[in-house]
């Protein structure tokens, strides 16, 4: 609900002045007295005739029918704090529904939801990502480039690393809201088995296989 432009939010046609409410005498409240065996009970409530305003519109605006507000839409810029997550919300004061006949506006509640990313998986302030490497890189070690939320960065792969091993990149995660701490990026290593190999690669793999002692890998 936004202010009516036709009457400038007054609710009155042609800027006519509202009249004092006859039901409450301009107080905006009415009293009701209930009698019981315990005595009298006095109840004070909002006047239903003027909705607590103390005045009534005698010549209502045809656009808003005396409300001083109409249904509409507005846009506003919202500053998103770094590190917000699914379900977090912020309050934008004064951007909610407009009150009756020039009354103050309520607040706008903005709730955040996160769209899934094709590479990154968020765990609190940490970021998880999979990095695929070859057998040779796993055995000998290597330096690879991996994406982070702030761009690509170099990651050192130690020799002899195993598949599913997680390497930690300090400070490459998400900032925590209202904190100086920044999370880490967790890189899960995936060793890829090639589906197709060349003749030269096959010969090299056969040579490596002949040198390996495969019996020592199992206890049976």
């Amino acid at each position: 609900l936004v202010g009516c432009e036709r009457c400038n939010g007054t609710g009155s046609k042609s800027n006519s002045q509202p009249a004092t409410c006859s039901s409450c005498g301009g107080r905006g409240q009415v009293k009701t007295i209930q009698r019981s065996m315990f005595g009298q009970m006095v109840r004070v409530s909002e006047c239903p005739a003027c909705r607590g305003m103390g005045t009534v519109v005698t010549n209502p605006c045809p656009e808003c029918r005396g409300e001083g507000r109409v249904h509409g839409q507005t846009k506003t810029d919202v500053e998103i704090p770094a590190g917000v997550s699914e379900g977090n919300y912020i309050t934008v004061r004064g951007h909610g529904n407009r009150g009756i006949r020039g009354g103050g506006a309520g607040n706008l509640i903005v709730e955040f939801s996160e769209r899934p990313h094709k590479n990154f998986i968020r765990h609190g302030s940490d970021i998880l990502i999979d990095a695929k490497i070859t057998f040779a890189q796993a055995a000998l070690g290597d330096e690879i480039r991996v994406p982070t939320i702030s761009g690509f960065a170099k990651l050192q792969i130690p020799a002899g690393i195993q598949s599913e091993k997680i390497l930690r990149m300090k400070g490459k995660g998400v900032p925590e809201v209202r904190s100086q701490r920044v999370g880490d990026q967790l890189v899960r290593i995936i060793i890829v088995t090639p589906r197709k190999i060349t003749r030269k690669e096959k010969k090299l793999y056969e040579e490596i296989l002949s040198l390996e002692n495969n019996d020592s890998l199992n206890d049976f």
Side-chain angles (χ1 to χ4, degrees):
L1 293 168
V2 298
C4 177
E5 295 183 356
R6 186 164 182 174
C7 66
N8 294 322
T10 63
S12 298
K13 183 180 180 180
S14 303
N15 294 324
S16 60
Q17 295 299 318
T20 301
C21 177
S22 59
S23 296
C24 64
R27 292 184 298 271
Q29 297 177 332
V30 292
K31 293 181 180 180
T32 55
I33 299 176
Q34 293 180 338
R35 301 180 184 277
S36 68
M37 60 181 296
F38 301 105
Q40 292 184 346
M41 294 183 61
V42 179
R43 180 183 177 187
V44 180
S45 60
E46 181 185 275
C47 176
C50 66
R51 300 185 183 181
M53 300 193 70
T55 58
V56 292
V57 175
T58 56
N59 191 13
C61 168
E63 184 72 23
C64 64
R65 299 180 180 180
E67 287 274 323
R69 58 184 186 174
V70 293
H71 288 281
Q73 289 186 342
T74 59
K75 290 184 179 181
T76 184
D77 293 329
V78 176
E79 189 71 27
I80 301 176
V84 295
S85 58
E86 184 83 22
N88 288 166
Y89 67 91
I90 60 173
T91 301
V92 185
R93 301 195 179 279
H95 286 272
N97 286 326
R98 179 66 58 181
I100 297 176
R101 302 210 304 270
N107 299 327
L108 171 67
I109 308 299
V110 182
E111 184 175 349
F112 299 106
S113 60
E114 293 182 73
R115 286 184 296 183
H117 193 274
K118 65 177 182 178
N119 295 324
F120 301 115
I121 300 174
R122 183 174 179 180
H123 291 276
S125 59
D126 293 334
I127 295 290
L128 174 66
I129 187 173
D130 289 339
K132 298 177 181 179
I133 63 173
T134 64
F135 286 136
Q137 289 175 308
L140 303 176
D142 197 4
E143 184 179 82
I144 63 174
R145 291 173 70 248
V146 294
T148 71
I149 59 175
S150 57
F152 280 89
K154 294 180 180 180
L155 176 65
Q156 191 67 40
I157 304 296
I161 194 169
Q162 302 298 303
S163 193
E164 301 293 329
K165 173 71 176 179
I166 292 179
L167 302 178
R168 184 179 295 270
M169 302 176 73
K170 288 285 187 180
K172 296 294 185 181
V174 178
E176 291 185 357
V177 181
R178 296 184 296 273
S179 173
Q180 299 295 323
R181 184 183 178 276
V182 179
D184 303 329
Q185 177 159 303
L186 309 177
V187 183
R188 181 166 53 194
I189 300 300
I190 306 296
I191 300 176
V192 179
T193 302
R195 294 181 180 273
K196 295 181 180 181
I197 56 177
T198 64
R199 290 183 179 180
K200 185 177 180 180
E201 289 172 336
K202 182 179 180 181
K203 185 176 180 180
L204 290 173
Y205 280 126
E206 288 174 344
E207 184 177 349
I208 294 173
L209 183 62
S210 66
L211 297 174
E212 291 177 340
N213 182 12
N214 294 324
D215 293 338
S216 62
L217 297 178
N218 302 299
D219 296 331
F220 54 81

